[in-house]
Amino acid sequence: MPDPLPRSFDLTYRIRPDAPRAHLFRVEILIARPPAGRLTLSMPAWIPGSYLIRDFARNLLGVTARTADGQALALEKLDKQTWFCESVTGAVTVAYQVFAWELSVRAAHLDTTHAYFNGASLLLRVHGLEDRPCRVELSPPDDVDCQDWRVATSLRPLDAAPLGFGSYQADDYADLIDHPVEMGRFRLLSFRVQEVPHRIAISGRGQLDESRLLQDLTRICTQQSALFGELPIDRYLFLLTVVGEGYGGLEHRFSTSLLCPRDNLPLPGDDQPSEGYQRLLGLCSHEYFHLWQVKRIRPQVFIDGALDREVHTRQLWAFEGITSYYDELALARSGCIDHKTYLGLLAATITRVMRSPGRHVQTLAEASFDAWTKFYKPDENAPNALVSYYAKGALIALALDLTIRHETGGVHSLDEVMRELWRCHGRTGIGVPERGVEALAGAVSVLDLDGFFAQALDSTEDIDLAGLLATVGVGMRLRPTQGPKDTGGCVERFDPIDPTPTLDVRLRPNGSEAAIQHVISGGAGERAGLAPGDLLIAVDGLRATADNLERLVARAAGQPGGVPLHLFRRDELLTLTADPQPASADTCELTLLDPVSDRVAQVRAAWLASLA
């Protein structure tokens, strides 16, 4: 049952897709009882869950204020995202427009096909009233092409009919901006987990096997809730937008926004999940896990911090990395993929980290802390300077889980640590202090994990994953890559592979030309003088393309005097000479060892077993 509703609201937000063809929302904020004296309003600079200053205020147009009788008030701008008005004595209405043309899970987008927004990108905060309940009035656009639109949101309705425009309620400003809204013509599916209704609103064109998607999401959500032992929600909404190209997800307390290529949807008749569909399920699993980890189990600095500036923490490895570990593990535990497919996904993650020379430069704790200025702002040197706290964080979570299982004889695991995090911090709302996850892992496992965390988080030394995986009957090796699309995988046996000569450069994706995006430090390309942005046009006198570059380099390698390269740098033709070197062993293969001892078989079964 909905919570008792207040009879009146100090704040009412009226939101309308005012001009879909011009991509403009109109927002009115009715402030019934503003704070005495100065009225201050501000726009968030970032959105929770995405650690980059986005300056949403740049999209606001024509901010005005008036009294209840229509008299204009003088609004002054204090900084890039803050407005104020002096000597306010009664009710005030603030109005403005927002240009919405970012098709992502983080901001707002509006045209005649749909309207979507996150509150952080659309709704001003009224200082002094952040803790007050809000009325949210959603109105349809006045456009002939939008007359059949519906509404999908996890906001609690006041007088709005299901999927209808009308009035909704938010508990406070934090709640107000935590419920993304989709308006348009979407397909709606539903299922239940522990009798809690779950809905999926799918926007965009695309064929899909609805029953397959519902079955798999039910399995995944059931698995995640079984891990934590309870489901702390009364409703949940997946907002899924399918497009030609695009990918992303953002977590919320009662919903998630997802963006994926339509090719990732499960097609009718597909017996095995495609790689794209596996990726979509992993994305759904990741964001659903966040309804516990990040949205309710929260770093203390996020509770104390604000949305007008960066909030730094060394804990993103845990809140995103552990989540990234469990998102694919849940697919295996739930039966959506088999164990060999899961090992293939795990091998691809190991490969991704091993192909990041930056892991020898940046520690995992530093990667977490510097996310604002480095991870979310990658440049041409990113692979050489950075490591992903998602990918390496997932491997550290794996290593932590296997370490605890091995050293406690299977008595304890990371699963138990997550349940204790929920009990101590999720249920209570008490923030997790810096190094709090590490301390709790040691307390739960009754192990001295200081050395493990010192190596994993505060050094650039690689963890011995091969040794840990052997404790659960999984063999691992690193071999030379066979090309840019080779990410390793799960194999029946480890066959010998000869290394292929390479320049150790990475090309811009999805292009036909051999345009260099990254030059890997210490590689043959760097020694030859290649640079990001160079357009390779010939290798040893033969025309180079994105498809044939690796083959041309391998064929020409080893000749006396080196391999001539012709390229454009800016608009100037250059000739360089390279000495291609054998590809390094940075591609992971995993295999299920057989036979293994009964003890190892039991530990492996417990690791991959369903918790539901």
Side-chain angles (χ1 to χ4, degrees):
M1 293 292 291
D3 296 333
L5 302 177
R7 294 182 180 275
S8 63
F9 294 84
D10 290 342
L11 289 170
T12 296
Y13 286 81
R14 292 176 176 170
I15 305 164
R16 180 189 183 93
D18 196 45
R21 298 169 196 271
H23 322 298
L24 293 172
F25 280 95
R26 178 173 175 80
V27 178
E28 291 185 349
I29 308 173
L30 282 60
I31 310 170
R33 286 175 288 275
R38 172 182 281 198
L39 172 65
T40 304
L41 308 107
S42 66
M43 199 73 177
W46 62 283
I47 183 169
S50 184
Y51 310 108
L52 176 68
I53 295 298
R54 299 186 181 277
D55 290 330
F56 292 120
R58 73 187 190 277
N59 292 318
L60 268 65
L61 304 171
V63 183
T64 63
R66 67 180 188 274
T67 63
D69 59 5
Q71 181 180 352
L73 295 172
L75 269 179
E76 296 186 48
K77 199 166 185 180
L78 182 64
D79 56 34
K80 64 180 180 179
Q81 61 204 17
T82 309
W83 292 257
F84 70 93
C85 183
E86 298 287 7
S87 303
V88 173
T89 58
V92 175
T93 298
V94 175
Y96 54 93
Q97 289 182 310
V98 179
F99 180 71
W101 194 241
E102 181 182 324
L103 185 57
S104 77
V105 298
R106 298 172 297 270
H109 188 265
L110 171 62
D111 59 16
T112 55
T113 67
H114 86 135
Y116 170 85
F117 70 85
N118 275 290
S121 69
L122 207 71
L123 305 175
L124 286 167
R125 172 170 66 101
V126 182
H127 291 221
L129 301 181
E130 296 92 339
D131 60 345
R132 305 294 177 84
C134 308
R135 183 184 183 93
V136 184
E137 297 179 0
L138 302 177
S139 299
D142 185 16
D143 190 299
V144 66
D145 289 338
C146 309
Q147 293 180 351
D148 57 347
W149 280 14
R150 301 186 295 173
V151 174
T153 180
S154 55
L155 281 165
R156 288 190 182 278
L158 284 171
D159 60 19
L163 305 179
F165 291 92
S167 297
Y168 293 80
Q169 176 186 352
D171 296 337
D172 49 32
Y173 184 76
D175 189 43
L176 174 71
I177 63 173
D178 197 36
H179 298 271
V181 175
E182 173 75 18
M183 307 175 186
R185 307 173 193 91
F186 47 80
R187 190 179 330 188
L188 191 71
L189 310 177
S190 61
F191 62 98
R192 287 182 172 268
V193 177
Q194 297 183 17
E195 298 306 313
V196 174
H198 289 56
R199 298 178 297 158
I200 316 166
I202 305 173
S203 301
R205 300 175 184 176
Q207 292 184 336
L208 79 152
D209 185 336
E210 294 181 359
S211 61
R212 175 70 179 272
L213 180 62
L214 288 173
Q215 179 186 47
D216 289 341
L217 283 184
T218 302
R219 290 174 175 176
I220 292 166
C221 296
T222 299
Q223 197 64 224
Q224 303 289 36
S225 62
L227 170 65
F228 286 98
E230 61 182 289
L231 188 56
I233 53 176
D234 61 0
R235 80 274 189 199
Y236 196 83
L237 173 65
F238 292 91
L239 289 175
L240 174 60
T241 300
V242 295
V243 292
E245 293 182 2
Y247 182 81
L250 190 66
E251 67 273 10
H252 301 277
R253 283 173 61 87
F254 293 92
S255 63
T256 181
S257 286
L258 309 168
L259 186 75
C260 81
R262 58 179 53 88
D263 290 344
N264 286 9
L265 297 174
L267 291 177
D270 284 353
D271 295 331
Q272 297 296 324
S274 66
E275 290 185 9
Y277 183 45
Q278 292 172 28
R279 193 179 186 210
L280 173 58
L281 290 180
L283 178 64
C284 294
S285 179
H286 184 100
E287 303 305 338
Y288 194 76
F289 193 92
H290 274 323
L291 79 85
W292 292 273
Q293 179 85 332
V294 169
K295 298 309 297 184
R296 290 171 174 83
I297 305 170
R298 302 173 63 197
Q300 182 62 46
V301 294
F302 285 179
I303 296 175
D304 297 337
L307 294 175
D308 61 347
R309 66 183 69 90
E310 297 94 336
V311 180
H312 297 282
T313 176
R314 70 190 302 280
Q315 296 187 90
L316 290 183
W317 76 268
F319 284 88
E320 291 294 352
I322 290 177
T323 302
S324 297
Y325 168 58
Y326 275 108
D327 60 24
E328 292 178 346
L329 182 60
L331 304 189
R333 286 178 166 180
S334 64
C336 291
I337 59 175
D338 60 31
H339 292 170
K340 290 184 178 180
T341 301
Y342 169 64
L343 292 183
L345 296 174
L346 182 57
T349 301
I350 296 172
T351 298
R352 191 156 61 249
V353 174
M354 296 305 296
R355 290 182 182 172
S356 301
R359 76 185 192 279
H360 294 309
V361 176
Q362 186 185 52
T363 70
L364 193 51
E366 289 170 342
S368 299
F369 196 88
D370 292 335
W372 298 88
T373 52
K374 293 189 176 182
F375 182 76
Y376 279 92
K377 294 181 178 180
D379 59 19
E380 295 81 3
N381 196 46
N384 301 319
L386 311 179
V387 68
S388 168
Y389 56 81
Y390 285 88
K392 186 176 179 181
L395 299 187
I396 295 308
L398 165 70
L400 178 60
D401 194 8
L402 298 186
T403 295
I404 293 174
R405 290 175 186 273
H406 178 63
E407 296 191 9
T408 66
V411 174
H412 300 295
S413 69
L414 186 58
D415 296 349
E416 190 177 352
V417 175
M418 299 312 298
R419 284 190 286 271
E420 189 66 5
L421 270 171
W422 171 248
R423 188 185 71 82
C424 295
H425 298 282
R427 286 180 185 164
T428 64
I430 298 172
V432 181
E434 297 295 301
R435 301 187 185 272
V437 174
E438 298 97 294
L440 196 63
V444 168
S445 64
V446 201
L447 296 173
D448 182 358
L449 296 172
D450 289 350
F452 173 89
F453 285 119
Q455 179 183 358
L457 306 183
D458 298 313
S459 83
T460 56
E461 182 182 350
D462 289 332
I463 291 286
D464 179 19
L465 285 177
L468 289 170
L469 285 166
T471 66
V472 289
V474 175
M476 170 185 162
R477 77 156 177 180
L478 296 174
R479 60 160 175 79
T481 180
Q482 297 298 290
K485 296 182 180 179
D486 177 15
T487 60
C490 182
V491 297
E492 294 298 324
R493 62 184 182 276
F494 295 144
D495 293 327
I497 293 180
D498 293 329
T500 303
T502 179
L503 292 176
D504 230 357
V505 297
R506 296 176 188 171
L507 304 183
R508 290 175 184 166
N510 305 319
S512 59
E513 297 180 319
I516 296 176
Q517 185 174 38
H518 303 296
V519 178
I520 302 305
S521 60
E526 183 184 69
R527 290 196 295 273
L530 291 173
D534 286 351
L535 177 62
L536 277 167
I537 57 175
V539 175
D540 196 24
L542 298 176
R543 181 173 180 265
T545 67
D547 288 335
N548 72 4
L549 177 63
E550 295 286 336
R551 296 193 300 274
L552 292 179
V553 170
R555 186 168 62 182
Q559 64 186 31
V563 177
L565 306 175
H566 289 84
L567 59 104
F568 280 109
R569 179 170 299 166
R570 297 180 292 277
D571 59 348
E572 298 180 7
L573 181 65
L574 301 181
T575 301
L576 303 176
T577 302
D579 181 18
Q581 295 298 305
S584 58
D586 59 8
T587 303
C588 177
E589 287 183 339
L590 300 177
T591 188
L592 283 171
L593 299 176
D594 185 31
V596 294
S597 68
D598 290 344
R599 178 60 191 149
V600 170
Q602 291 171 2
V603 175
R604 183 168 68 193
W607 171 46
L608 298 174
S610 171
L611 303 178

